[in-house]
């Protein structure tokens, strides 16, 4: 059994970035005298004049980060690999589109970037993804390695059953984004306790201002509140058990008071009428547009929101992102946000150009590529890199400040863990709609936990 892992971190990574005035800018396209970067160990050299032309197909989830970073990578990679043409394919539904293609070995891309670790954990052990563990120690074009530059959270999250089938992509925090002008106009300041937040929400409601909204049809955005609350109410011991449980912890783990307190806090948003009417019918862009139009003072969202809505933000609109304030009865009385590196890039085993694909992942992980990602998207990557000299918006600065100034929680589940919802119920949506009470969700999870544990152990032992 691995040593229990849980990172309750102030993201030293970003704090280091802010202080890294001595950090040097490395050119991701830094070339040797021949005009090509040094070939990574174990990969194909790109300076052979007689190499056959290669079309490298790169598929990616095109969400809040858009496609501009991938266009940058395409330009950089083609400049240093004269025989390679990078063909990009991005879609907001890539997570759905790519599954039948990879599992059916049809029209398989050479590189894939997705959000969420479930597919990586499934495809890696089943042989659908290339084991790229060795890539972590391979020199990138700037001479550094992924092993030395990725964050601790990323190194842990990208490992599964002792192997690495992916490299980290992003590490953006979630929290509460608030409308600066509405706050200043009414003389409000962002609360430092949840009791202050409740008082503020009631004041907003009394003035006819909806306190909160969120992407209603994607209830997972409410994890911006739930995951910090787990830690605030349960502390390290609870989260260690949740992410790295033993058989003796099942099913009593799911009776822990932290669950009831967290779910009750979540329920209060809806019972008290603090959520903008109609929110549950809105997708991410629609809810964000309502927020930008001043229909709600706050929105549960992430550091990618500004980039995602850059073409719709009204001129002069100001917003900041902040962490979740603690309640008076919290075990950990600190403001917190949640950020983990669940986004990843990997190489399907059916790729026709595996070695070239490895070079692409290495280029994508260099310091200059990381800096460019933050510059283009306003969000951090799951690497340690300097941000000195970069032109960042006030919103992006607030996201970096949130990561550096406040506690950040990251939930990395060990293979035997069955998560916080063993019953399979989407408790965010169930509580939001009123279909289930917090206690009913807990009872459902407690009842399902023993069988889910056995099922999970069978899955692990079959690998």
């Amino acid at each position: 059994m691995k040593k229990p892992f849980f990172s309750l971190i102030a993201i030293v990574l970003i704090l280091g970035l802010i202080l890294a005035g001595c950090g040097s800018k490395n050119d991701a396209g830094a070339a040797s005298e021949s005009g090509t970067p040094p070939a990574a160990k174990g990969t194909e050299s790109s300076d052979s004049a007689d190499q056959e032309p290669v079309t490298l197909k790169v598929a990616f989830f095109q969400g809040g980060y858009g496609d501009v970073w991938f266009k940058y990578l395409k330009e950089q990679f083609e400049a240093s690999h004269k025989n390679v043409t990078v063909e990009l394919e991005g879609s907001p539904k890539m997570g759905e589109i790519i599954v039948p293609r990879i599992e059916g070995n049809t029209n398989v891309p050479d590189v894939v970037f997705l959000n969420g670790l479930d597919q990586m954990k499934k495809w890696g052990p089943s042989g659908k993804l290339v084991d790229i563990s060795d890539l972590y120690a391979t020199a990138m074009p700037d001479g550094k390695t992924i092993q030395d530059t990725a964050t601790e959270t990323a190194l842990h999250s990208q490992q599964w059953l002792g192997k690495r089938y992916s490299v980290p992509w992003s590490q953006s925090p979630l929290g509460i984004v608030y409308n600066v002008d509405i706050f200043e106009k009414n003389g409000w300041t962002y609360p430092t306790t949840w009791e202050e937040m409740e008082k503020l929400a009631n004041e907003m409601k009394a003035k006819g201002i909806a306190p909160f909204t969120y992407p209603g049809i994607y209830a997972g955005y409410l994890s911006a509140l739930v995951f910090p609350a787990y830690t605030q109410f349960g502390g390290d011991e609870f989260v260690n058990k949740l992410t790295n449980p033993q058989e003796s912890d099942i099913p009593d783990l799911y009776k822990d008071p932290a669950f009831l307190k967290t779910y009750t806090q979540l329920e209060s948003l809806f019972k008290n009428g603090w959520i903008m009417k109609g929110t549950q019918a809105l997708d991410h862009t629609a809810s964000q547009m309502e927020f930008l139009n001043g229909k709600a003072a706050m929105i549960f969202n992430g550091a990618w929101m500004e980039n995602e809505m850059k073409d719709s933000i009204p001129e002069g609109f100001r917003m900041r992102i902040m962490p979740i304030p603690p309640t008076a009865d919290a075990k950990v009385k600190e403001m917190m946000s949640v950020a983990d590196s669940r986004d990843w890039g990997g190489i399907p085993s059916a790729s026709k150009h595996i070695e070239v694909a490895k070079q692409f992942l290495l280029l994508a992980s260099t310091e200059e590529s990381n800096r460019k990602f933050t510059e283009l998207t306003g969000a951090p990557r799951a690497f340690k890199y300097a941000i000195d000299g970069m032109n960042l918006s006030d919103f992006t600065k607030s996201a970096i400040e949130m990561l550096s100034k406040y506690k950040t929680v990251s939930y990395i589940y060990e293979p035997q863990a069955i998560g916080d919802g063993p019953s399979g119920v989407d408790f965010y949506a169930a509580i939001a709609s009123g279909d289930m009470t917090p206690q009913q969700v807990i009872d459902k999870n407690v009842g399902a936990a023993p069988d889910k544990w056995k099922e999970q152990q069978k899955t692990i032992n079959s690998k």
Side-chain angles (χ1 to χ4, degrees), residues 10 24 37 53 79 94 136 150 158 171 248 285 288 301 314 317 325 386 409:
S24 62
M94 184 56 69
Y136 276 67
Q158 302 298 321
Q171 185 165 307
S248 58
T285 53
Q288 290 161 189
N301 219 287
F317 185 88
V409 295

Side-chain angles (χ1 to χ4, degrees), residues 114 116-125 129 157-160 163-166 344:
L114 296 177
L117 294 169
D118 290 347
Q119 293 300 338
M120 182 273 283
K121 292 178 178 180
K122 177 183 178 182
W123 289 339
L129 290 177
S157 68
Q158 302 298 321
Q159 180 171 295
W160 187 245
K163 296 183 179 180
R164 299 188 193 281
Y165 301 99
S166 58
W344 57 277

Side-chain angles (χ1 to χ4, degrees), residues 1-7 230-231 234-259 331 410-422 449 453 457:
M1 189 64 62
K2 294 184 180 179
K3 180 181 179 181
F5 177 90
F6 168 68
S7 58
Y230 280 162
T231 300
D236 289 359
E237 183 179 357
F238 164 70
V239 178
N240 279 331
K241 284 186 177 182
L242 183 63
T243 58
N244 188 23
Q246 307 300 310
E247 186 171 11
S248 58
D249 296 323
I250 309 297
D252 288 347
L253 165 62
Y254 297 95
K255 299 177 183 177
D256 192 289
F259 281 116
K331 284 186 178 180
S410 298
Y411 287 72
I412 309 298
Y413 293 95
E414 294 294 340
Q416 83 280 3
I418 53 179
D420 52 334
W453 172 268
Q457 308 324 301

